[in-house]
Amino acid sequence: HVYYTDERLKTFQRTISTYAQTPKDWVMKFEELLNTHSRPPIRSLKTLLSESERIMGNIPEAQVLKLYLDDANYWIEKVQDILSVKQKNRIRNRRVSIKELVETSNSKPEEIEKLINEIPKLSFSCPEVDQLIEFANEIYQFEITVRGFLTDNGHTIEEFYDMIDLGKSFGVELQSVEFLERIVHRMSWVNRAQEILEKSDNLADFKAILDEGYAIGSKKDKELIDKVGLKYKNGSYMNAKLKHFLSLPSLSINIVDMLLNEAIGLPIDQNVMKTFEDIKTKHAKSLEERDQIYKVIAKNGVEMFSLRDQKQKKLTSMPDFNPELYNQLLSKFQGDENDIRPKYSIARDILERSRQFLPSNPSDPLDNYLRQAEDWLRRSKKLFGKTNAPFSVLKSHLSTILEKNY
């Protein structure tokens, strides 16, 4: 035996009754629903339509009801789309721009107003009607709150952001939110403009903040815009002047220092400024390298002169020639990798680089040492009859003579 509960038996009864209905019975239920409700619930109408699909026979009224429900569902779906976006935005609570909001939701106040205006024309009732009216009232109350908020002064940027977040949570493109964003943008610009005016030396920063100020600044920002614009103008003039001097065939370090002093406190293109700073660094490095050569020469000058003296005494067979001192000095200045004296080519390069940014080509003590080396090289080549030969050939001849003497 099979036993069912009373509720289960009632369910069976309703199901069997549905299938046992005739088209006439269905029409009577349909008319009864319309007569008892000025606006029948959409759920009841959908239930009737579902029952009609299980009845054998043609029911013209059911076909009319189906077309009507298609239109009703279209209206309900549009409302649900708007309400679902509101719910998603409130869950996310993101700080996005109005444009980004529009990309994720095409809801506009006009669309909501249109749906509200269609409510009196609806022949059915559904929860979405009350939900839409409540939603529209929330927006209306928000607009009133915004107007009151803007009449008070002294709000912080964070308070503006809180109000903007609340407006965006509706998921609707509200002009009041866009207006609040413009105010926040301007407040942010004022803070950044003042910071750049006081701290930045980058011409690009001034150009960007000035263009932004022209786009969003208000009348009360004119003084700040003028200050930024004046500093940008002076910086642009100075920047053009620096670029002009860089284009000249030569540039002295004195002019570089003068221009850098003149540019103090002005915004300059960072690439241009880096070029001038590189010139100063390069010149300072060459002077340091030149001074280091002086130190080496000064440190070993006495011994080098002593070596020359001993060589001369050896050649002239002087009685005070000191072979031990001579060999000791000779081993120290062999011209190999252990010789601390700078190479001629390196010393010449350093001297030329130290003169690169000088106003003229002044004489330098290092010139005397280099000329001595050049004179010695010419005399040596002439001695071997190889005046045009490279130094490698002369070195080979000297090495051969040295080996034979030893």
Side-chain angles (χ1 to χ4, degrees):
H1 298 282
V2 178
Y3 297 95
Y4 294 101
T5 64
D6 289 346
E7 187 63 34
R8 186 72 180 275
L9 291 173
K10 289 178 181 179
T11 302
F12 287 157
Q13 189 271 335
R14 285 194 297 271
T15 303
I16 294 171
S17 297
T18 299
Y19 282 98
Q21 284 186 98
T22 63
K24 184 178 180 180
D25 295 332
W26 185 91
V27 171
M28 290 177 62
K29 287 180 64 176
F30 179 51
E31 290 177 349
E32 181 182 359
L33 179 65
L34 296 180
N35 291 331
T36 55
H37 295 85
S38 58
R39 291 187 177 184
I42 193 72
R43 184 174 181 180
S44 299
L45 293 174
K46 288 182 178 180
T47 300
L48 271 176
L49 181 63
S50 177
E51 289 179 3
S52 70
E53 293 171 351
R54 294 193 291 269
I55 297 174
M56 300 296 293
N58 183 34
I59 307 177
E61 290 84 352
Q63 297 299 321
V64 174
L65 178 59
K66 183 177 184 306
L67 294 174
Y68 175 78
L69 287 177
D70 287 342
D71 293 337
N73 286 332
Y74 178 72
W75 186 91
I76 292 172
E77 287 172 0
K78 288 198 294 184
V79 174
Q80 289 175 340
D81 288 342
I82 292 174
L83 296 177
S84 66
V85 171
K86 177 197 76 169
Q87 184 63 23
K88 289 178 183 177
N89 283 342
R90 289 190 174 178
I91 292 173
R92 293 170 183 164
N93 194 24
R94 303 177 305 163
R95 286 186 177 177
V96 296
S97 67
I98 282 291
K99 289 184 178 180
E100 184 179 346
L101 185 64
V102 172
E103 289 174 359
T104 58
S105 165
N106 292 324
S107 300
K108 295 183 179 181
E110 303 82 49
E111 295 176 357
I112 297 175
E113 184 180 0
K114 180 181 178 183
L115 291 172
I116 291 287
N117 292 334
E118 290 173 352
I119 290 177
K121 305 174 185 177
L122 299 178
S123 306
F124 61 89
S125 62
C126 63
E128 285 77 10
V129 171
D130 293 334
Q131 292 171 4
L132 181 62
I133 293 174
E134 181 183 358
F135 181 53
N137 285 332
E138 288 181 11
I139 295 176
Y140 177 72
Q141 291 300 324
F142 171 77
E143 298 284 3
I144 294 176
T145 303
V146 169
R147 286 195 289 271
F149 179 82
L150 293 176
T151 57
D152 297 332
N153 297 323
H155 291 296
T156 64
I157 289 183
E158 194 61 32
E159 289 173 331
F160 271 93
Y161 273 126
D162 290 340
M163 187 63 68
I164 290 170
D165 288 340
L166 177 58
K168 288 178 179 177
S169 68
F170 293 110
V172 180
E173 184 184 354
L174 300 176
Q175 290 184 351
S176 57
V177 175
E178 189 173 357
F179 183 67
L180 288 171
E181 283 191 318
R182 288 204 303 269
I183 294 176
V184 169
H185 192 178
R186 177 198 157 270
M187 293 171 69
S188 174
W189 175 85
V190 169
N191 292 338
R192 287 182 287 113
Q194 290 174 339
E195 184 176 1
I196 287 174
L197 194 61
E198 295 171 3
K199 299 179 181 180
S200 179
D201 58 358
N202 190 341
L203 192 64
D205 289 345
F206 277 79
K207 177 69 165 62
I209 203 71
L210 188 61
D211 290 344
E212 190 177 347
Y214 287 143
I216 68 170
S218 62
K219 291 182 178 179
K220 65 174 69 174
D221 301 320
K222 184 178 184 304
E223 183 179 353
L224 181 56
I225 291 176
D226 289 344
K227 287 182 180 179
V228 175
L230 179 60
K231 199 164 185 180
Y232 174 71
K233 179 181 178 181
N234 293 336
S236 298
Y237 172 79
M238 190 67 219
N239 194 70
K241 188 174 182 179
L242 293 175
K243 293 174 73 172
H244 167 71
F245 276 93
L246 285 177
S247 67
L248 298 178
S250 61
L251 182 63
S252 73
I253 195 64
N254 295 339
I255 296 295
V256 170
D257 288 335
M258 181 194 71
L259 291 172
L260 288 178
N261 288 333
E262 192 176 339
I264 292 175
L266 294 176
I268 303 296
D269 183 284
Q270 295 302 287
N271 292 328
V272 174
M273 182 57 69
K274 185 178 184 303
T275 302
F276 272 84
E277 290 173 349
D278 288 345
I279 290 174
K280 284 207 68 173
T281 301
K282 184 177 180 181
H283 180 69
K285 183 179 179 181
S286 65
L287 292 181
E288 183 180 350
E289 291 174 340
R290 186 197 63 183
D291 292 343
Q292 187 62 32
I293 291 176
Y294 291 157
K295 292 178 181 179
V296 172
I297 293 174
K299 182 178 180 181
N300 297 279
V302 176
E303 291 182 334
M304 286 191 287
F305 282 117
S306 179
L307 177 59
R308 293 193 188 99
D309 184 56
Q310 289 298 321
K311 282 183 178 180
Q312 186 64 31
K313 290 179 180 180
K314 180 182 179 183
L315 291 174
T316 57
S317 302
M318 296 289 289
D320 57 345
F321 169 67
N322 188 337
E324 183 179 352
L325 176 60
Y326 174 74
N327 290 328
Q328 180 184 351
L329 294 173
L330 191 63
S331 64
K332 188 174 182 179
F333 301 108
Q334 282 288 341
D336 55 17
E337 60 183 13
N338 296 320
D339 196 323
I340 64 172
R341 292 174 299 174
K343 289 182 168 50
Y344 168 83
S345 59
I346 295 177
R348 170 60 67 185
D349 179 64
I350 291 174
L351 180 62
E352 293 302 325
R353 282 192 285 113
S354 68
R355 288 171 168 171
Q356 182 178 358
F357 300 106
L358 295 178
S360 60
N361 197 21
S363 61
D364 192 283
L366 189 56
D367 271 320
N368 298 329
Y369 296 108
L370 292 172
R371 275 196 292 269
Q372 290 176 12
E374 292 163 358
D375 290 343
W376 177 86
L377 187 60
R378 281 194 296 270
R379 285 188 282 108
S380 299
K381 288 182 178 181
K382 188 175 181 181
L383 180 64
F384 290 100
K386 304 286 185 178
T387 55
N388 296 322
F391 178 74
S392 57
V393 175
L394 176 61
K395 182 179 179 181
S396 175
H397 283 297
L398 292 174
S399 297
T400 301
I401 294 173
L402 183 62
E403 290 173 2
K404 289 182 178 180
N405 286 342
Y406 278 95

